[in-house]
């Protein structure tokens, strides 16, 4: 059993540093890993419901933070879902929040939100790990980065019907205070908004993947503001006609999660077609070498979902995705591109796998 302190005390303010596997620390075995994802999200996005999909995806972060009384727990927004980690004594809060957001998604958004919960120890028993690091996006906001392959493994099992949290008899409306998605989509200023997912193959060493990720980031970092999808001087209006004060806008932009590590690179960027072509060539070659799987999606706009915790409004969080399919479409491409390789590598046997009643 692992009993070490689960929260890394140091937060790294340079994103390239969280590509180093040595900065990640393991979660204790009894910690809970929660996963949500919108079923058939690509179909919903094709029908123009990308805002609803993103809102459903971020809902567990808001609901759990409000129920837990703090947002100081590891989580990651994934576009059509999210993942989080919580200590063992949070099982009631986690289970209730997962049930509540699933009910909310069905009744209010007419979306099927799949929810699951598994321990870090169960993940390790099946050959993966869950380790975290902290990335300081700004002076007031840090985001958790995940490594070890555990989230990817847990998501795959939950999609296959294992570790599901079943609907509760007394599901309540979740407290989504602070969560909003009332921004107009942000148009690209450089050519295209790119949604990019890059994941190492199981037998790819972390140093090899880190070197590749740095090559990819170097292409995008050559652009102004490192290809940030929110312009440095753009005060974008809300649907209600309000405006963000220009002096405050850079703070909003700096608190966004346009770059993250979630068992691989997960990026939402504003870049030129030439940059995308250059990176795609690098990734195609790496995939041919058997090092990675990747998926990307190009679109004209980015979408932002905001979370302003009621207890700490200065720590406002801004979750970014592409407005034309984003991470969901990139994941679809990645699955199609890796299908032939995956068919030659059977899954390891699964131990356990009980649903939570």
């Amino acid at each position: 059993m692992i009993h070490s302190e689960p929260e890394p005390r140091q937060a790294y303010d340079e994103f390239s540093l969280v590509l180093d596997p040595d900065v990640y620390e393991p979660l204790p075995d009894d910690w809970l890993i929660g996963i949500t994802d919108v079923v058939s999200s690509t179909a919903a996005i094709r029908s123009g419901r990308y805002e609803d999909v993103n809102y459903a995806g971020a809902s567990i972060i808001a609901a759990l933070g409000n129920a837990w009384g703090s947002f100081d727990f590891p989580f990651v927004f994934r576009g059509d879902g999210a993942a989080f980690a919580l200590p063992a004594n949070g099982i009631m809060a986690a289970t209730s929040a997962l049930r509540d957001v699933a009910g909310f998604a069905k009744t209010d958004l007419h979306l099927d939100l799949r929810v699951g919960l598994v321990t870090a120890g169960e993940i390790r028993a099946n050959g993966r790990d869950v380790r975290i690091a902290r990335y300081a996006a700004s002076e007031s906001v840090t985001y958790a980065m995940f490594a070890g392959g555990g989230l990817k493994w847990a998501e795959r099992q939950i999609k296959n019907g294992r570790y599901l949290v079943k609907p509760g008899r007394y599901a309540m409306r979740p407290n989504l205070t602070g969560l909003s998605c009332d921004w107009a989509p942000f148009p690209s200023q450089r050519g295209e908004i790119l949604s990019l997912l890059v994941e190492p193959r199981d037998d790819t060493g972390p140093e090899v993947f880190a070197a590749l990720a740095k090559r990819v980031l170097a292409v995008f970092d050559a652009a102004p503001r490192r290809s940030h999808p929110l312009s440095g001087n753009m005060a974008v209006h809300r649907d209600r006609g309000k405006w963000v004060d220009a002096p405050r806008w850079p703070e909003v932009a700096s608190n966004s999660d346009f770059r993250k590590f979630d068992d691989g690179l997960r990026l939402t960027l504003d870049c030129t077609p030439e940059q995308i072509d250059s990176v795609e060539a690098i990734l195609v070659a790496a995939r041919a070498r058997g090092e990675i799987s990747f998926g990307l999606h190009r679109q004209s706009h980015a979408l932002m979902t905001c979370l302003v915790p009621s207890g700490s409004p200065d720590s406002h969080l801004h979750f970014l995705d592409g407005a034309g399919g984003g991470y969901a479409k990139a994941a679809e491409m990645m699955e199609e591109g890796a299908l032939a390789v995956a068919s030659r590598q059977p899954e390891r046997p699964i131990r356990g796998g009980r649903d939570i009643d």
Side-chain angles (χ1 to χ4, degrees), residues 29-310:
D29 278 350
D30 62 354
W31 268 51
L32 305 165
I33 305 300
I35 302 284
T36 74
D37 80 287
V38 175
V39 178
S40 302
S41 58
T42 52
I45 289 168
R46 278 196 295 268
S47 65
R49 304 192 60 207
Y50 46 82
E51 290 187 4
D52 287 344
V53 168
N54 275 195
Y55 195 84
S59 63
I60 185 59
I61 300 172
L64 185 55
N66 287 326
W68 187 243
S70 169
F71 287 85
D72 189 22
F73 59 91
F75 60 79
V76 60
F77 170 70
R78 299 166 134 195
D80 62 350
F84 66 84
L86 209 64
N89 64 349
I91 188 167
M92 293 296 293
T95 303
S96 296
L98 287 166
R99 287 173 173 158
D100 292 348
V101 296
F104 163 78
K106 185 175 289 293
T107 58
D108 287 49
L109 302 177
H110 308 292
L111 294 170
D112 185 5
L113 187 67
R114 183 165 34 213
V115 298
L117 201 61
V118 62
T119 65
E122 180 77 1
I123 291 172
R124 290 193 180 100
N126 283 280
R128 274 71 170 183
D129 200 1
V130 185
R131 293 177 286 120
I132 61 170
R134 290 283 188 181
Y135 169 56
S138 69
E139 292 184 359
S140 58
V141 168
T142 63
Y143 288 101
M145 307 285 115
F146 290 84
L151 294 193
K152 179 182 175 181
W153 181 89
E155 179 185 29
R156 187 161 58 244
Q157 303 314 314
I158 288 165
K159 286 184 175 180
N160 289 335
R162 301 176 183 270
Y163 308 111
L164 295 174
V165 174
K166 296 180 178 179
R169 185 178 302 177
Y170 305 108
M172 301 176 64
R173 187 174 183 84
N175 180 359
L176 301 180
T177 299
L179 185 65
S180 66
C181 190
D182 55 2
W183 295 80
F186 299 83
S188 169
Q189 304 295 301
R190 302 184 182 97
E192 293 181 295
I193 297 293
L194 173 68
S195 299
L196 178 63
L197 301 176
V198 188
E199 295 180 353
R201 301 294 300 172
D202 287 344
D203 56 352
T204 300
E207 295 80 9
V208 172
F209 185 78
L212 176 68
K214 289 177 181 179
R215 284 186 64 197
V216 169
L217 290 173
V219 174
F220 298 123
D221 285 353
R225 303 189 69 249
R226 298 184 171 183
S227 301
H228 199 306
L230 304 183
S231 172
N233 56 8
M234 182 190 300
V236 179
H237 66 83
R238 299 170 180 257
D239 291 340
R240 295 191 297 270
K242 296 182 179 179
W243 294 78
V244 176
D245 294 337
R248 185 171 174 78
W249 181 249
E251 182 182 349
V252 172
S254 66
N255 284 11
S256 66
D257 70 341
F258 75 107
R259 299 192 297 183
K260 46 200 169 186
F261 194 90
D262 167 22
D263 282 339
L265 281 181
R266 187 178 293 265
L267 308 175
T268 298
L269 303 171
D270 186 3
C271 39
T272 66
E274 293 76 16
Q275 285 178 300
I276 300 175
D277 291 343
S278 176
V279 164
E280 187 170 15
I282 293 171
L283 296 177
V284 166
R287 185 174 60 187
R289 294 192 299 268
E291 296 174 353
I292 63 160
S293 297
F294 82 94
L296 58 83
H297 185 64
R298 309 177 192 223
Q299 57 244 292
S300 60
H301 289 69
L303 185 69
M304 183 165 70
T305 304
C306 302
L307 177 58
V308 183
S310 57

Side-chain angles (χ1 to χ4, degrees), residues 340-357:
V341 176
S343 66
R344 298 193 295 271
Q345 297 182 0
E347 287 290 302
R348 303 178 188 181
I350 305 302
R351 305 175 187 175
R354 294 185 178 181
D355 296 343
I356 293 181
D357 296 318

